[in-house]
């Protein structure tokens, strides 16, 4: 059974940093691209970043480019999102998901809440 | 990124069919057959229900179907059931190598 489980969310002050993790199981992790998607409270979905299976290709939304870094450790079946220079508008539930085919997000975790507030 | 345009809400009675539209541009919906649809119940993670315009993942009811014409993709739910009440989002690959989601549609079963 495919499972992805996010962790690392919490309360952080504006300008601070946080690293999210996403532990995957039930599939050959290195064979799949992975992605982060966020959802601000009461709002819609916003794609954040995507990383190829090998880790060689990265993609970012304009809203996070230069502040967030996506990475993975295929030996640990884990995806990461390093978030720096956080802003109040980054407050959201962050989901990770397995990428199926071309930019289709198949299996999603339950999300981890990031709150940026002073 | 610009969000794709969806109606804010759509409603229907049990057993009826409803259609949700997702309008983009030649740079996203109209340019690629990489449109997907996601269902999200309150407090839950999104679930993939349609990928590459019209394909259903295994385990998804055949009451859900997708199509595309020009810059507009559509999701049709036939034989509407109470469990279909949820938020629905389209998503499309774009020419900028990004993913745009739609604005979201709340489906209400009357």
């Amino acid at each position: 059974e495919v499972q992805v489980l996010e962790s690392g969310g919490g309360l952080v002050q504006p300008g601070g940093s946080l690293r999210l993790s996403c532990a995957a199981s039930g599939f050959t992790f290195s064979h799949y691209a992975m992605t982060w998607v966020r959802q601000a409270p009461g709002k819609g979905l916003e794609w954040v970043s995507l990383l190829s299976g090998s880790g060689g290709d990265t993609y970012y939304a304009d809203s996070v480019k230069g502040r967030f870094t996506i990475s993975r450790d295929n030996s640990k079946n884990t995806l990461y999102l390093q978030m720096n220079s956080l802003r109040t508008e980054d407050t959201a539930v962050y989901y990770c998901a397995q990428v199926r085919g071309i930019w289709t997000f198949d299996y999603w975790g339950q999300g981890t809440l990031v709150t940026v507030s002073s | 990124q610009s969000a794709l345009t969806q109606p804010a809400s759509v409603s229907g009675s049990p057993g009826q069919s409803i259609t949700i539209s997702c309008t983009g541009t030649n740079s996203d919906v109209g340019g690629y057959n990489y449109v997907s649809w996601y269902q999200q119940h309150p407090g839950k993670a999104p679930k993939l229900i349609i990928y590459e315009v019209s394909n259903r993942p295994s385990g998804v009811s055949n009451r859900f179907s997708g199509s595309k014409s020009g810059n507009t993709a559509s999701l049709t739910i036939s034989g509407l059931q109470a469990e279909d009440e949820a938020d629905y989002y389209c998503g499309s690959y774009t020419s900028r190598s990004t993913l745009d989601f739609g604005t979201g549609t709340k489906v209400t079963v009357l």
Side-chain angles (χ1 to χ4, degrees):
Chain A
E1 179 190 5
V2 173
Q3 290 190 328
V4 293
L5 181 64
E6 305 91 340
S7 62
L11 175 64
V12 61
Q13 292 188 336
S17 298
L18 207 58
R19 188 177 84 156
L20 306 183
S21 298
C22 171
S25 61
F27 62 100
T28 305
F29 185 67
S30 62
H31 289 185
Y32 289 85
M34 298 290 292
T35 193
W36 290 98
V37 174
R38 68 184 181 183
Q39 186 170 34
K43 302 297 184 182
L45 301 176
E46 180 187 13
W47 172 74
V48 173
S49 183
L50 184 143
L51 179 63
S52 63
S54 66
D57 297 303
T58 58
Y59 305 87
Y60 296 96
D62 289 343
S63 58
V64 306
K65 198 173 296 183
R67 300 188 300 123
F68 290 11
T69 302
I70 191 171
S71 63
R72 63 194 297 158
D73 185 337
N74 285 344
S75 69
K76 296 182 178 179
N77 289 353
T78 301
L79 177 74
Y80 302 101
L81 186 68
Q82 177 67 43
M83 304 185 295
N84 299 330
S85 303
L86 282 162
R87 306 167 179 168
T88 55
E89 57 263 36
D90 295 318
T91 294
V93 173
Y94 285 72
Y95 296 100
C96 75
Q98 180 200 65
V99 179
R100 172 197 198 126
I102 307 296
W103 290 72
T104 294
F105 306 155
D106 202 345
Y107 293 95
W108 297 60
Q110 287 306 301
T112 187
L113 176 63
V114 172
T115 303
V116 184
S117 174
S118 55
Chain B
Q1 277 88 313
S2 299
L4 308 175
T5 302
Q6 297 180 230
S9 63
V10 173
S11 62
S13 300
Q16 286 187 329
S17 293
I18 62 170
T19 297
I20 302 169
S21 61
C22 169
T23 301
T25 69
N26 289 335
S27 297
D28 40 64
V29 175
Y32 307 91
N33 286 326
Y34 300 130
V35 177
S36 49
W37 288 90
Y38 303 88
Q39 176 193 60
Q40 186 179 34
H41 287 105
K44 300 295 187 181
K47 173 189 175 184
L48 176 69
I49 55 173
I50 295 288
Y51 67 99
E52 293 173 10
V53 176
S54 60
N55 295 295
R56 269 189 318 274
S58 60
V60 173
S61 172
N62 59 8
R63 298 185 298 103
F64 294 94
S65 61
S67 62
K68 191 184 85 168
S69 177
N71 294 337
T72 298
S74 298
L75 172 72
T76 297
I77 309 174
S78 58
L80 198 62
Q81 298 180 0
E83 67 206 50
D84 300 330
E85 189 160 290
D87 293 326
Y88 292 81
Y89 296 91
C90 61
S92 176
Y93 177 70
T94 83
S95 60
R96 292 167 282 114
S97 294
T98 61
L99 191 288
D100 282 346
F101 281 108
T103 49
T105 299
K106 180 178 181 60
V107 168
T108 300
V109 181
L110 302 173

